[in-house]
Amino acid sequence: METFLQIIASGILLGGIYALISVGLNLIFGVIKIVNLAHGDFLMVGMYLTFFLFTLYKINPYTATLLVFPILLVVGLVIFRLIIKPLLGKSETEVNTILASAGLGYVLQNLALMLWKSDFRAIETNLTGKSINIGGMMLSSGRLWAFIICVVVALVLYYLLMYTKLGAQVRAVSQDTDAATLMGINVNMIYSLTFAVGIGLVGLAGCIIMPIFNVYPTVGTYFNTLAFVIVVLGGLGSFTGALVGGLIIGLVETFAGVMASAELAQVFSLLLFLIILFVKPEGILGKAARV
Amino acid sequence: MLEINGLNVAYGDTQVIWDLNLKVEQGEIVTMLGPNGAGKTTILRTICGLVQPRSGSITFQGQDLLKVPAYNRAKHGIVMVPEGRRLFPKMTVEENLEIAAWKPDQKAETMEWIYETMPKLAERRKQLAGTLSGGEQQMCAIGRGIMAQPSLLMLDEPSLGLAPIIVEQVFEILLKLKSRGITIFFVEQFVEQSLKISSRGYLCEGGQIVLHEDSVSMLNNDYVRQVYLGIA
């Protein structure tokens, strides 16, 4: 029983982290209706930034969020302006943005390879290897902190979306761009803001997972698959979908890791993903597409 | 107030509006009639900036409207209630109304007026707009338009898909809006009822204005009576 609780707790912690990694992807898809295949590579950029801030300037990864989030926010604004915006409102927008973002992902990966080699890099903070005992469960300090930050970020984001004027405008744009324009909302401004926040959030996720995972130029590929499974599982474009999907994948991977083996963990989550695609293709919280 | 001259609009290679002239004066209710596919919706969408014309001019209160980006036209006083309502379905009635409000000092008064004029909306203020009935959605869409404080409100087929008794209510609301000082330009297929509340009418066919008269003459026009009212 105790192991069972332990697995559940670890799974939830991991799930929260996965949710934070995915939430930006879903935000961008939900509002702009584009699939950003470079999502994981921005996570990689966030992780490298955190790595160097720590090794060169002794900046703690959690403090680094205050720097990395705004940096990636600006990167998001620039990328939107240069790469995404020219493709919007033209023919084949969906395909073109997928191709463009995939290309961007390769550029980022190879830039990282050129600048920092393919070495696996990790940081050792004062939390590394430490655990906290909560009610008999041993929880990794790094993961616990990461989870807490995920919850805070999710709550802040939820509040902003649901209870501010800007959030209402974002929701309006996600539901009907023409009607939003007619009501005086600058759709393009909302798009660039959403894209920037989505990229900023994945950068922030890069900070908080840096104490837990290694960084290397193609680390984004692994997390990209994961993030896509999570948002499709939870429901594409649904904010809470990313949270639910993250928790489910976190739990499945942790259980599979304990019951079978760590190598098989992702096999189980992808298996579940396939099952969900057959049974409820719109995702757990997704609404069936209107015909 | 609104003046359109020599307007040409095309989607790709297909021209849909041909050299169109149109005028709406302050305080009027003007209706534009015509069959499906005549280009009525395109005209409204062009005035709002959702469609860019190929040539021609649109001036509104003396200002060149084509220089104003679409999202700023509401703030210039020109607001459209689009065809099929186009509410934000996952937002509540109240949120739908609030999102259009950009003049904070007039927000409360306008909302109160809307709830008074359309009491059904007051009952449903916390309900998601997507769950309203067709008539309630149309009321909500009109309410949302008014919240933007328009001087000219345009409506694209407000009666679409509504029961006759609801259509009557919608038209009554249009009259109330007129007495509130809002100029109205709307597109309709209900010829008789529309002309009865309007001062003038335009008949649009094949992307051109084929007839422009005051409402009474239009109602008595042989062509209109034969083709649109089915009276020989």
Side-chain angles (χ1 to χ4, degrees):
Chain A
M1 186 63 200
E2 241 166 62
T3 5
F4 182 72
L5 284 179
Q6 173 83 47
I7 299 170
I8 296 261
S10 310
I12 290 175
L13 292 191
L14 187 64
I17 298 166
Y18 283 178
L20 181 66
I21 293 172
S22 319
V23 77
L25 181 71
N26 224 11
L27 191 67
I28 290 171
F29 180 82
V31 177
I32 319 178
K33 312 284 184 291
I34 59 169
V35 174
N36 174 23
L37 278 184
H39 187 75
D41 301 302
F42 285 108
L43 183 80
M44 177 268 291
V45 172
M47 289 176 82
Y48 268 112
L49 277 175
T50 315
F51 174 81
F52 285 113
L53 284 172
F54 181 78
T55 41
L56 299 179
Y57 303 105
K58 298 273 166 279
I59 297 175
N60 173 298
Y62 306 107
T63 321
T65 55
L66 301 176
L67 277 169
V68 174
F69 178 71
I71 291 173
L72 270 277
L73 199 79
V74 174
V75 169
L77 280 177
V78 173
I79 297 285
F80 180 81
R81 184 71 194 78
L82 293 181
I83 298 178
I84 306 298
K85 196 185 159 210
L87 299 173
L88 294 178
K90 308 259 167 66
S91 57
E92 308 292 342
T93 296
E94 291 89 352
V95 178
N96 286 340
T97 44
I98 287 176
L99 293 175
S101 62
L104 176 68
Y106 287 124
V107 169
L108 291 175
Q109 283 174 25
N110 286 289
L111 269 179
L113 189 63
M114 191 176 86
L115 291 170
W116 305 310
K117 308 279 181 326
S118 58
D119 302 344
F120 279 48
R121 293 166 198 260
I123 56 173
E124 229 172 83
T125 66
N126 49 5
L127 289 178
T128 307
K130 296 247 173 66
S131 305
I132 301 172
N133 187 336
I134 296 177
M137 289 177 292
M138 295 302 288
L139 301 176
S140 142
S141 307
R143 286 177 190 236
L144 189 63
W145 274 111
F147 181 79
I148 291 169
I149 292 172
C150 297
V151 171
V152 171
V153 168
L155 288 176
V156 169
L157 200 59
Y158 185 78
Y159 172 82
L160 289 176
L161 276 173
M162 297 309 288
Y163 299 106
T164 66
K165 191 168 164 113
L166 189 63
Q169 293 187 338
V170 171
R171 282 184 292 141
V173 168
S174 82
Q175 292 172 35
D176 194 325
T177 50
D178 276 359
T181 306
L182 290 175
M183 294 308 128
I185 299 169
N186 184 345
V187 171
N188 192 49
M189 191 270 284
I190 298 288
Y191 275 178
S192 57
L193 183 76
T194 306
F195 193 82
V197 169
I199 302 299
L201 283 175
V202 77
L204 186 147
C207 295
I208 64 161
I209 67 168
M210 196 53 228
I212 311 169
F213 295 99
N214 293 318
V215 63
Y216 47 96
T218 53
V219 68
T221 315
Y222 169 72
F223 284 109
N224 227 9
T225 316
L226 195 74
F228 274 91
V229 168
I230 286 168
V231 297
V232 174
L233 192 68
L236 265 172
S238 144
F239 171 73
T240 35
L243 306 183
V244 172
L247 284 178
I248 291 173
I249 293 296
L251 283 167
V252 168
E253 283 200 0
T254 313
F255 266 99
V258 174
M259 308 289 181
S261 77
E263 288 77 30
L264 282 176
Q266 218 185 357
V267 173
F268 279 93
S269 56
L270 287 172
L271 209 60
L272 174 79
F273 178 59
L274 280 179
I275 295 170
I276 296 276
L277 276 188
F278 278 118
V279 179
K280 200 167 183 297
E282 65 274 17
I284 292 167
L285 291 183
K287 300 252 160 61
R290 272 176 298 173
V291 184
Chain B
M1 180 180 222
L2 176 76
E3 199 174 335
I4 300 177
N5 282 312
L7 189 75
N8 287 290
V9 183
Y11 294 118
D13 290 334
T14 319
Q15 181 151 2
V16 287
I17 302 296
W18 302 82
D19 207 24
L20 182 128
N21 300 313
L22 192 151
K23 226 178 193 176
V24 179
E25 299 292 349
Q26 179 99 40
E28 275 190 305
I29 297 186
V30 178
T31 183
M32 182 160 54
L33 306 165
N36 282 333
K40 307 185 299 293
T41 297
T42 301
I43 295 169
L44 291 193
R45 287 174 67 87
T46 312
I47 299 172
C48 293
L50 295 176
V51 173
Q52 300 306 319
R54 183 151 288 181
S55 65
S57 73
I58 305 177
T59 51
F60 180 66
Q61 292 176 329
Q63 208 177 6
D64 182 1
L65 208 56
L66 293 176
K67 291 213 175 89
V68 181
Y71 64 86
N72 256 343
R73 293 191 192 186
K75 292 192 178 73
H76 279 73
I78 201 157
V79 173
M80 174 164 85
V81 178
E83 185 176 4
R85 278 77 83 168
R86 303 289 287 269
L87 292 170
F88 304 115
K90 287 183 234 159
M91 293 166 77
T92 63
V93 168
E94 194 148 275
E95 283 179 314
N96 265 280
L97 295 178
E98 274 178 345
I99 199 146
W102 58 278
K103 281 186 178 168
D105 50 323
Q106 292 172 24
K107 187 171 141 184
E109 188 271 333
T110 312
M111 203 175 252
E112 203 173 302
W113 187 86
I114 290 167
Y115 284 150
E116 234 165 66
T117 320
M118 303 177 253
K120 262 271 150 48
L121 288 185
E123 278 170 42
R124 307 228 184 273
R125 67 211 295 171
K126 296 288 173 209
Q127 202 172 314
L128 293 186
T131 65
L132 299 178
S133 73
E136 288 161 357
Q137 284 192 14
Q138 188 60 58
M139 308 278 178
C140 187
I142 294 174
R144 187 179 64 175
I146 305 167
M147 287 300 285
Q149 312 294 345
S151 36
L152 172 67
L153 186 70
M154 302 192 293
L155 301 98
D156 195 351
E157 291 209 34
S159 72
L160 191 75
L162 301 185
I165 186 163
I166 310 286
V167 175
E168 242 168 73
Q169 288 176 18
V170 169
F171 281 22
E172 270 166 37
I173 291 168
L174 295 189
L175 284 171
K176 282 182 189 161
L177 288 175
K178 187 194 173 193
S179 51
R180 213 180 132 82
I182 300 175
T183 308
I184 291 169
F185 177 46
F186 74 114
V187 158
E188 255 307 338
Q189 300 219 27
F190 274 89
V191 174
E192 205 172 348
Q193 279 166 294
S194 308
L195 284 171
K196 274 182 181 155
I197 65 163
S198 310
S199 57
R200 289 185 297 124
Y202 287 92
L203 182 62
C204 179
E205 285 179 2
Q208 287 169 307
I209 299 293
V210 294
L211 186 70
H212 167 218
E213 276 180 330
D214 63 90
S215 298
V216 182
S217 333
M218 207 156 172
L219 269 173
N220 294 317
N221 183 295
D222 284 343
Y223 179 72
V224 172
R225 286 169 68 86
Q226 272 176 24
V227 177
Y228 292 96
L229 295 172
I231 309 166

